[in-house]
């Protein structure tokens, strides 16, 4: 993922406050990792709300791959989801997340979550 971004001229930073987009890479195979992933996503959204409302938030990895249909409904604060089958498209997804976030901020629909979810339980698609 980093190699694709660098190749496409995207500057990488480890300082989430300074980033135009934060990418949270997730795991969903064991409950503890899944809960840790959800916590990281919600913490990123809270940090964005407090310090950089225009920042895009992308969730990548196993959770969006496994729960592709459920996550956008459960996590409206996320601007884009990227499954493991979409890593080659990361630069385009970053651009889309920035545009999506800018639109939501301009329209006033970028509302913070009122309370943090204690856990995330999704079921396998039927």
């Amino acid at each position: 993922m980093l190699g694709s971004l660098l190749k496409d001229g995207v500057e990488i930073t480890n300082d989430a406050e300074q980033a135009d987009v934060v990418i949270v890479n997730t795991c969903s195979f064991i409950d503890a990792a899944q809960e840790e992933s959800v916590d990281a996503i919600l913490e990123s959204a809270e940090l964005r709300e407090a310090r950089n409302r225009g920042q895009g938030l992308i969730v990548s990895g196993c959770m969006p791959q496994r729960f592709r249909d459920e996550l956008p409904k459960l996590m409206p604060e996320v601007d884009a989801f990227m499954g493991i089958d979409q890593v080659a498209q990361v630069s385009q997804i970053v651009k889309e997340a920035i545009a999506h976030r800018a639109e939501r901020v301009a329209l006033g629909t970028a509302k913070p979550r009122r309370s943090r979810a204690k856990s995330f339980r999704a079921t396998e698609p039927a």
Side-chain angles (χ1 to χ4, degrees):
M1 194 178 331
L2 289 175
S4 291
L5 290 167
L6 289 169
K7 185 182 91 176
D8 291 336
V10 176
E11 183 181 338
I12 307 298
T13 180
N14 287 325
D15 184 356
E17 278 188 52
Q18 300 300 316
D20 294 327
V21 174
V22 169
I23 300 174
V24 178
N25 197 28
T26 64
C27 177
S28 68
F29 291 107
I30 58 174
D31 286 342
Q34 190 168 290
E35 289 179 24
E36 185 177 331
S37 294
V38 171
D39 286 345
I41 295 163
L42 297 177
E43 287 170 15
S44 295
E46 288 172 3
L47 180 63
R48 168 182 68 191
E49 188 61 32
R51 300 205 174 111
N52 186 356
R53 292 200 68 229
Q55 182 181 68
L57 177 58
I58 298 172
V59 174
S60 69
C62 298
M63 282 182 65
Q65 184 73 31
R66 188 171 173 193
F67 305 113
R68 191 172 304 254
D69 296 328
E70 295 95 337
L71 283 181
K73 296 172 200 147
L74 295 171
M75 299 186 150
E77 57 269 84
V78 176
D79 298 298
F81 294 93
M82 180 175 65
I84 57 176
D85 61 341
Q86 297 173 290
V87 172
Q89 302 160 345
V90 65
S91 295
Q92 182 60 36
I93 293 169
V94 165
K95 291 176 190 171
E96 290 169 6
I98 291 170
H100 183 256
R101 185 63 186 176
E103 180 181 323
R104 291 179 71 192
V105 169
L107 293 173
T109 60
K111 304 283 186 220
R113 182 182 286 250
R114 294 211 191 292
S115 63
R116 281 185 73 169
K118 294 294 180 196
S119 64
F120 171 78
R121 296 276 188 250
T123 57
E124 288 295 329

